[in-house]
Amino acid sequence: MTERLGPADIARAATLLRAGELVGFPTETVYGLGADARNGRAVAGVFEAKGRPHFNPLICHFASAEAAFAQVEADDRARALAAAFWPGPLTLVLPRRDGCEVDLLAGAGLDTLAVRVPAHPVALALIAAMDGPVAAPSANRSGGVSPTTAAHVLAGLDGRIAAVIDGGACPVGVESTVLDLSGGAVLLRHGGVTVEAIEAVIGRVGRPLPITAAEASCSLRSPGMMLSHYAPGLPVRLGAVEVSADEGLLAFGAPLAGAGAVFQLSEASDVREAAARLFAGLRALDAMPGLTGIAVMPVPEAGLGAAINDRLTRAAAPR
Ligand code: TXA
Ligand code: MG
Protein backbone atom coordinates (compact mmCIF):
# COMPACT_ATOMS: atom_id res chain seq x y z
CA MET A 1 0.00 0.00 0.00
CA THR A 2 1.40 3.35 -1.04
CA GLU A 3 1.20 6.10 1.63
CA ARG A 4 -0.63 9.25 0.53
CA LEU A 5 1.27 12.27 1.86
CA GLY A 6 0.75 16.02 1.60
CA PRO A 7 3.17 18.97 1.47
CA ALA A 8 3.15 19.05 5.30
CA ASP A 9 4.66 15.53 5.40
CA ILE A 10 8.12 16.39 4.02
CA ALA A 11 9.90 14.97 7.08
CA ARG A 12 8.12 11.62 6.71
CA ALA A 13 8.94 11.49 2.98
CA ALA A 14 12.61 12.32 3.66
CA THR A 15 12.79 9.58 6.30
CA LEU A 16 11.46 7.08 3.75
CA LEU A 17 14.00 8.20 1.15
CA ARG A 18 16.86 7.93 3.62
CA ALA A 19 15.70 4.39 4.42
CA GLY A 20 16.06 3.47 0.74
CA GLU A 21 12.35 3.65 -0.09
CA LEU A 22 10.81 5.24 -3.20
CA VAL A 23 8.67 8.38 -2.98
CA GLY A 24 6.70 10.11 -5.75
CA PHE A 25 6.85 13.91 -5.52
CA PRO A 26 5.77 16.93 -7.56
CA THR A 27 8.18 19.05 -9.57
CA GLU A 28 7.26 22.01 -11.78
CA THR A 29 7.49 19.74 -14.85
CA VAL A 30 6.01 16.32 -14.00
CA TYR A 31 5.91 14.10 -10.89
CA GLY A 32 9.22 12.40 -10.16
CA LEU A 33 9.84 8.96 -8.64
CA GLY A 34 12.51 9.77 -6.07
CA ALA A 35 15.24 7.64 -4.54
CA ASP A 36 18.40 8.47 -2.60
CA ALA A 37 20.88 8.70 -5.50
CA ARG A 38 23.74 7.51 -3.26
CA ASN A 39 21.97 4.24 -2.47
CA GLY A 40 22.40 1.62 -5.21
CA ARG A 41 19.61 -0.60 -3.89
CA ALA A 42 17.17 2.31 -3.83
CA VAL A 43 18.18 3.30 -7.37
CA ALA A 44 17.75 -0.29 -8.55
CA GLY A 45 14.26 -0.14 -7.04
CA VAL A 46 13.39 2.79 -9.31
CA PHE A 47 14.24 0.79 -12.43
CA GLU A 48 12.23 -2.14 -11.07
CA ALA A 49 9.13 -0.11 -10.10
CA LYS A 50 9.02 1.60 -13.50
CA GLY A 51 9.99 -1.44 -15.56
CA ARG A 52 12.70 0.84 -16.96
CA PRO A 53 15.56 -0.52 -19.07
CA HIS A 54 18.77 -0.31 -17.04
CA PHE A 55 20.60 1.45 -19.88
CA ASN A 56 18.40 4.52 -19.47
CA PRO A 57 20.08 6.84 -16.91
CA LEU A 58 18.21 8.93 -14.32
CA ILE A 59 18.31 12.68 -13.62
CA CYS A 60 19.72 13.69 -10.20
CA HIS A 61 17.92 16.50 -8.42
CA PHE A 62 19.70 18.94 -6.11
CA ALA A 63 18.60 21.78 -3.83
CA SER A 64 21.14 24.23 -5.31
CA ALA A 65 23.57 24.64 -8.21
CA GLU A 66 26.41 24.52 -5.68
CA ALA A 67 25.29 21.07 -4.49
CA ALA A 68 24.93 19.84 -8.08
CA PHE A 69 28.32 21.14 -9.15
CA ALA A 70 29.97 19.38 -6.21
CA GLN A 71 29.15 16.10 -8.03
CA VAL A 72 29.79 17.07 -11.68
CA GLU A 73 32.32 19.27 -13.44
CA ALA A 74 30.70 22.56 -14.39
CA ASP A 75 32.31 24.85 -16.96
CA ASP A 76 31.40 28.48 -17.74
CA ARG A 77 28.49 27.43 -19.97
CA ALA A 78 26.98 25.29 -17.20
CA ARG A 79 27.39 28.06 -14.62
CA ALA A 80 25.81 30.65 -16.90
CA LEU A 81 22.85 28.37 -17.65
CA ALA A 82 22.41 27.50 -13.98
CA ALA A 83 22.38 31.20 -13.11
CA ALA A 84 19.79 31.87 -15.82
CA PHE A 85 17.43 28.88 -15.41
CA TRP A 86 17.85 27.18 -12.01
CA PRO A 87 15.72 26.45 -10.15
CA GLY A 88 13.81 25.45 -13.27
CA PRO A 89 13.09 22.93 -16.04
CA LEU A 90 16.62 22.53 -17.46
CA THR A 91 18.76 19.40 -17.05
CA LEU A 92 22.50 19.55 -17.76
CA VAL A 93 24.56 16.47 -18.68
CA LEU A 94 28.09 16.97 -17.35
CA PRO A 95 31.15 14.80 -16.54
CA ARG A 96 31.03 13.13 -13.12
CA ARG A 97 33.65 14.41 -10.70
CA ASP A 98 36.15 12.06 -9.09
CA GLY A 99 34.50 10.91 -5.88
CA CYS A 100 31.00 11.68 -7.17
CA GLU A 101 28.60 10.34 -4.51
CA VAL A 102 25.90 9.34 -6.98
CA ASP A 103 25.62 5.59 -7.46
CA LEU A 104 26.88 4.42 -10.85
CA LEU A 105 23.60 2.68 -11.64
CA ALA A 106 21.74 6.02 -11.46
CA GLY A 107 23.88 7.18 -14.37
CA ALA A 108 23.57 3.77 -16.07
CA GLY A 109 27.34 3.41 -15.79
CA LEU A 110 28.07 6.46 -17.98
CA ASP A 111 30.89 8.86 -17.09
CA THR A 112 28.40 11.73 -17.33
CA LEU A 113 25.53 12.62 -15.00
CA ALA A 114 22.30 14.53 -15.69
CA VAL A 115 21.66 17.15 -12.97
CA ARG A 116 18.97 19.71 -12.30
CA VAL A 117 17.57 21.98 -9.57
CA PRO A 118 13.75 21.83 -9.74
CA ALA A 119 11.60 24.92 -9.17
CA HIS A 120 8.80 23.29 -7.12
CA PRO A 121 8.73 24.21 -3.40
CA VAL A 122 7.76 20.64 -2.36
CA ALA A 123 10.61 19.15 -4.41
CA LEU A 124 13.14 21.61 -3.00
CA ALA A 125 11.97 21.02 0.57
CA LEU A 126 12.17 17.25 0.11
CA ILE A 127 15.69 17.33 -1.35
CA ALA A 128 16.84 19.67 1.43
CA ALA A 129 15.28 17.44 4.10
CA MET A 130 16.85 14.29 2.66
CA ASP A 131 20.13 16.22 2.53
CA GLY A 132 21.52 14.65 -0.62
CA PRO A 133 20.94 14.07 -4.35
CA VAL A 134 17.56 12.62 -5.29
CA ALA A 135 17.52 10.46 -8.43
CA ALA A 136 14.12 10.79 -10.07
CA PRO A 137 12.72 9.79 -13.44
CA SER A 138 9.14 10.66 -14.27
CA ALA A 139 6.86 8.64 -11.95
CA ASN A 140 5.16 6.48 -14.57
CA ARG A 141 5.62 2.95 -15.95
CA SER A 142 8.39 3.01 -18.55
CA GLY A 143 7.20 4.11 -22.01
CA GLY A 144 3.86 5.41 -20.74
CA VAL A 145 2.40 8.89 -20.35
CA SER A 146 4.17 11.06 -17.75
CA PRO A 147 2.21 11.99 -14.58
CA THR A 148 1.21 15.57 -13.80
CA THR A 149 -0.94 14.77 -10.73
CA ALA A 150 -0.56 12.46 -7.72
CA ALA A 151 -3.55 10.46 -9.03
CA HIS A 152 -1.62 9.79 -12.27
CA VAL A 153 1.31 8.49 -10.19
CA LEU A 154 -0.95 6.14 -8.25
CA ALA A 155 -2.65 4.92 -11.44
CA GLY A 156 0.68 3.41 -12.54
CA LEU A 157 2.60 2.78 -9.34
CA ASP A 158 0.15 2.22 -6.43
CA GLY A 159 1.52 -0.58 -4.28
CA ARG A 160 4.93 -0.46 -6.04
CA ILE A 161 6.31 2.61 -4.19
CA ALA A 162 6.34 3.59 -0.50
CA ALA A 163 4.61 6.96 -0.78
CA VAL A 164 3.50 9.83 -2.98
CA ILE A 165 3.33 13.50 -1.96
CA ASP A 166 0.26 15.20 -3.44
CA GLY A 167 1.28 18.75 -4.35
CA GLY A 168 -1.43 19.39 -6.93
CA ALA A 169 -1.02 19.64 -10.71
CA CYS A 170 2.43 20.39 -12.17
CA PRO A 171 2.50 23.94 -13.58
CA VAL A 172 4.78 23.33 -16.62
CA GLY A 173 3.44 19.91 -17.60
CA VAL A 174 6.25 18.71 -19.90
CA GLU A 175 9.63 17.43 -18.71
CA SER A 176 12.81 19.44 -18.40
CA THR A 177 14.92 20.29 -21.42
CA VAL A 178 17.99 17.99 -21.48
CA LEU A 179 21.22 19.60 -22.71
CA ASP A 180 24.47 17.67 -23.07
CA LEU A 181 27.46 19.85 -22.15
CA SER A 182 30.00 17.02 -21.86
CA GLY A 183 31.37 18.21 -25.23
CA GLY A 184 29.90 20.74 -27.65
CA ALA A 185 26.42 21.77 -26.45
CA VAL A 186 23.81 19.35 -27.85
CA LEU A 187 20.09 19.33 -27.19
CA LEU A 188 19.01 15.82 -26.13
CA ARG A 189 15.35 16.54 -25.32
CA HIS A 190 13.03 19.47 -25.90
CA GLY A 191 11.36 20.60 -22.66
CA GLY A 192 10.31 23.38 -20.35
CA VAL A 193 13.13 25.78 -21.31
CA THR A 194 13.17 26.59 -25.04
CA VAL A 195 16.31 26.13 -27.14
CA GLU A 196 16.04 29.78 -28.15
CA ALA A 197 16.29 30.83 -24.49
CA ILE A 198 19.34 28.57 -24.00
CA GLU A 199 21.02 29.91 -27.15
CA ALA A 200 20.51 33.46 -25.87
CA VAL A 201 22.84 32.54 -22.98
CA ILE A 202 25.51 30.24 -24.50
CA GLY A 203 25.15 30.64 -28.27
CA ARG A 204 24.45 27.97 -30.84
CA VAL A 205 23.26 24.57 -29.59
CA GLY A 206 23.44 21.41 -31.71
CA ARG A 207 20.18 19.64 -32.50
CA PRO A 208 20.10 15.85 -32.65
CA LEU A 209 19.40 14.37 -36.06
CA PRO A 210 15.81 13.17 -36.37
CA ILE A 211 15.85 9.55 -35.29
CA THR A 212 14.54 6.56 -37.19
CA ALA A 213 12.55 3.67 -35.76
CA ALA A 214 15.60 1.39 -36.22
CA GLU A 215 17.79 3.70 -34.15
CA ALA A 216 15.06 4.03 -31.58
CA SER A 217 15.29 0.38 -30.65
CA CYS A 218 19.02 0.35 -29.92
CA SER A 219 21.45 2.21 -27.71
CA LEU A 220 21.32 5.98 -28.00
CA ARG A 221 23.13 8.97 -26.60
CA SER A 222 20.01 9.71 -24.58
CA PRO A 223 17.69 6.73 -24.29
CA GLY A 224 14.77 9.03 -23.49
CA MET A 225 14.95 9.91 -27.16
CA MET A 226 13.47 6.50 -27.93
CA LEU A 227 10.86 6.91 -30.62
CA SER A 228 7.90 5.21 -28.96
CA HIS A 229 7.51 6.87 -25.58
CA TYR A 230 4.86 8.79 -23.68
CA ALA A 231 2.40 6.36 -25.29
CA PRO A 232 -1.22 5.99 -24.17
CA GLY A 233 -3.07 2.71 -24.81
CA LEU A 234 -5.02 4.05 -27.80
CA PRO A 235 -3.32 4.82 -31.13
CA VAL A 236 -2.55 8.52 -31.62
CA ARG A 237 -3.06 10.37 -34.94
CA LEU A 238 -1.39 13.77 -35.40
CA GLY A 239 -2.27 16.85 -37.48
CA ALA A 240 -6.00 16.05 -37.52
CA VAL A 241 -8.10 18.29 -39.78
CA GLU A 242 -11.22 16.14 -39.43
CA VAL A 243 -12.29 13.68 -36.77
CA SER A 244 -14.66 10.73 -36.55
CA ALA A 245 -17.24 9.80 -33.91
CA ASP A 246 -15.17 6.89 -32.57
CA GLU A 247 -12.13 9.11 -31.95
CA GLY A 248 -11.26 11.29 -28.96
CA LEU A 249 -10.09 14.75 -29.99
CA LEU A 250 -7.16 16.50 -28.33
CA ALA A 251 -8.17 20.03 -29.33
CA PHE A 252 -6.02 23.15 -29.65
CA GLY A 253 -8.13 26.23 -30.28
CA ALA A 254 -11.64 25.96 -31.77
CA PRO A 255 -12.34 22.18 -31.72
CA LEU A 256 -13.14 20.19 -34.88
CA ALA A 257 -16.75 19.00 -34.96
CA GLY A 258 -17.83 15.35 -34.80
CA ALA A 259 -15.49 13.77 -32.23
CA GLY A 260 -16.71 11.11 -29.78
CA ALA A 261 -15.10 13.09 -26.96
CA VAL A 262 -13.09 16.29 -26.71
CA PHE A 263 -10.27 17.31 -24.37
CA GLN A 264 -9.36 20.97 -24.85
CA LEU A 265 -5.60 21.68 -24.48
CA SER A 266 -6.10 25.42 -24.82
CA GLU A 267 -9.19 27.22 -26.04
CA ALA A 268 -7.07 30.37 -26.42
CA SER A 269 -4.36 28.51 -28.44
CA ASP A 270 -1.77 29.19 -25.73
CA VAL A 271 1.12 26.68 -25.92
CA ARG A 272 2.01 27.11 -22.23
CA GLU A 273 -1.49 26.20 -21.15
CA ALA A 274 -1.48 23.31 -23.65
CA ALA A 275 1.83 21.95 -22.26
CA ALA A 276 0.44 21.98 -18.73
CA ARG A 277 -2.65 19.99 -19.88
CA LEU A 278 -1.01 17.66 -22.43
CA PHE A 279 -0.41 14.49 -20.39
CA ALA A 280 -3.69 14.84 -18.48
CA GLY A 281 -5.47 15.09 -21.85
CA LEU A 282 -3.83 11.97 -23.27
CA ARG A 283 -4.75 10.07 -20.09
CA ALA A 284 -8.33 11.35 -19.98
CA LEU A 285 -9.10 10.37 -23.59
CA ASP A 286 -7.29 7.05 -23.15
CA ALA A 287 -9.59 6.19 -20.21
CA MET A 288 -12.79 7.06 -22.06
CA PRO A 289 -14.91 4.03 -23.05
CA GLY A 290 -15.81 3.32 -26.67
CA LEU A 291 -13.02 5.23 -28.42
CA THR A 292 -10.71 3.56 -30.97
CA GLY A 293 -8.09 6.30 -31.23
CA ILE A 294 -6.94 9.79 -30.29
CA ALA A 295 -6.82 12.52 -32.96
CA VAL A 296 -4.65 15.55 -32.22
CA MET A 297 -5.13 18.98 -33.79
CA PRO A 298 -1.95 20.74 -35.00
CA VAL A 299 0.07 22.62 -32.36
CA PRO A 300 2.52 25.32 -33.52
CA GLU A 301 6.27 24.69 -32.97
CA ALA A 302 6.88 28.05 -31.27
CA GLY A 303 8.03 28.17 -27.63
CA LEU A 304 6.85 25.14 -25.62
CA GLY A 305 5.16 23.88 -28.80
CA ALA A 306 8.49 22.19 -29.70
CA ALA A 307 8.33 20.09 -26.50
CA ILE A 308 4.62 19.34 -27.00
CA ASN A 309 5.16 18.18 -30.59
CA ASP A 310 8.16 16.09 -29.53
CA ARG A 311 6.06 14.22 -26.94
CA LEU A 312 3.12 13.83 -29.36
CA THR A 313 5.39 12.47 -32.13
CA ARG A 314 6.65 9.78 -29.76
CA ALA A 315 3.14 9.05 -28.46
CA ALA A 316 2.10 8.48 -32.11
CA ALA A 317 5.16 6.44 -33.13
CA PRO A 318 4.85 2.75 -34.09
CA ARG A 319 5.02 0.72 -30.89
O1 TXA B 1 11.34 17.13 -15.87
C1 TXA B 1 12.03 16.13 -15.75
O2 TXA B 1 13.17 16.04 -16.26
C2 TXA B 1 11.48 14.98 -14.90
C3 TXA B 1 11.34 15.46 -13.47
C4 TXA B 1 10.94 14.36 -12.54
O3 TXA B 1 12.55 16.06 -13.06
N1 TXA B 1 12.33 13.83 -14.98
C5 TXA B 1 12.42 13.09 -16.12
O4 TXA B 1 13.26 12.00 -16.00
O5 TXA B 1 11.84 13.35 -17.13
P1 TXA B 1 13.28 10.81 -17.05
O6 TXA B 1 14.14 9.76 -16.41
O7 TXA B 1 11.93 10.41 -17.44
O8 TXA B 1 14.10 11.39 -18.25
C6 TXA B 1 15.49 11.60 -18.13
C7 TXA B 1 16.09 11.84 -19.49
C8 TXA B 1 16.09 10.58 -20.30
O9 TXA B 1 15.82 10.95 -21.64
C9 TXA B 1 17.51 10.08 -20.13
O10 TXA B 1 17.92 9.26 -21.18
C10 TXA B 1 18.28 11.38 -20.09
O11 TXA B 1 17.46 12.25 -19.35
N2 TXA B 1 19.55 11.25 -19.40
C11 TXA B 1 19.75 11.05 -18.08
N3 TXA B 1 21.06 10.95 -17.80
C12 TXA B 1 21.73 11.11 -18.96
C13 TXA B 1 23.10 11.09 -19.33
N4 TXA B 1 24.09 10.90 -18.45
N5 TXA B 1 23.40 11.29 -20.64
C14 TXA B 1 22.41 11.48 -21.55
N6 TXA B 1 21.09 11.49 -21.26
C15 TXA B 1 20.75 11.31 -19.99
MG1 MG C 1 10.08 9.80 -18.46
Side-chain angles (χ1 to χ4, degrees), residues 50 52 137-138 140 146 175 189 229-230:
K50 281 186 61 103
R52 179 169 174 125
S138 51
N140 53 279
S146 299
E175 292 85 347
R189 178 175 78 182
H229 208 93
Y230 312 102

Side-chain angles (χ1 to χ4, degrees), residues 33 148 158 190 272 274 280:
L33 176 56
T148 54
D158 197 6
H190 282 287
R272 276 183 176 274

Side-chain angles (χ1 to χ4, degrees), residues 45-281:
V46 170
F47 286 94
E48 193 174 34
K50 281 186 61 103
R52 179 169 174 125
H54 281 239
F55 58 76
N56 194 356
L58 310 178
I59 295 173
C60 280
H61 298 69
F62 296 85
S64 67
E66 199 188 352
F69 294 159
Q71 306 298 331
V72 291
E73 287 174 22
D75 57 14
D76 290 346
R77 298 169 304 174
R79 290 182 192 284
L81 290 169
F85 300 113
W86 282 355
L90 175 65
T91 293
L92 301 177
V93 174
L94 293 164
R96 293 171 69 105
R97 276 187 191 277
D98 287 341
C100 176
E101 291 179 342
V102 174
D103 189 82
L104 275 171
L105 178 60
L110 299 175
D111 51 15
T112 56
L113 192 65
V115 298
R116 91 174 184 101
V117 178
H120 197 290
V122 171
L124 287 172
L126 178 63
I127 299 162
M130 197 201 73
D131 197 21
V134 174
S138 51
N140 53 279
R141 294 296 193 94
S142 188
V145 179
S146 299
T148 54
T149 67
H152 294 164
V153 175
L154 289 167
L157 298 173
D158 197 6
R160 301 174 71 89
I161 62 177
V164 62
I165 308 175
D166 188 344
C170 301
V172 176
V174 289
E175 292 85 347
S176 61
T177 303
V178 181
L179 185 70
D180 187 351
L181 291 179
S182 62
V186 179
L187 177 75
L188 297 182
R189 178 175 78 182
H190 282 287
V193 173
T194 65
V195 201
E196 293 75 17
I198 291 169
E199 290 186 327
V201 177
I202 60 164
R204 177 97 189 121
V205 164
R207 314 289 206 278
L209 295 171
I211 56 170
T212 65
E215 285 170 328
S217 62
C218 53
S219 156
L220 284 172
R221 189 161 181 191
S222 186
M225 293 160 66
M226 281 180 295
L227 197 56
S228 175
H229 208 93
Y230 312 102
L234 290 175
V236 175
R237 180 168 75 79
L238 302 183
V241 290
E242 34 46 65
V243 61
S244 65
D246 60 352
E247 286 180 307
L249 181 70
L250 205 53
F252 184 81
L256 300 169
V262 176
F263 186 99
Q264 180 58 263
L265 289 176
S266 174
E267 187 89 61
S269 301
D270 172 8
V271 285
R272 276 183 176 274
E273 182 185 24
R277 293 171 58 74
L278 176 67
F279 292 137

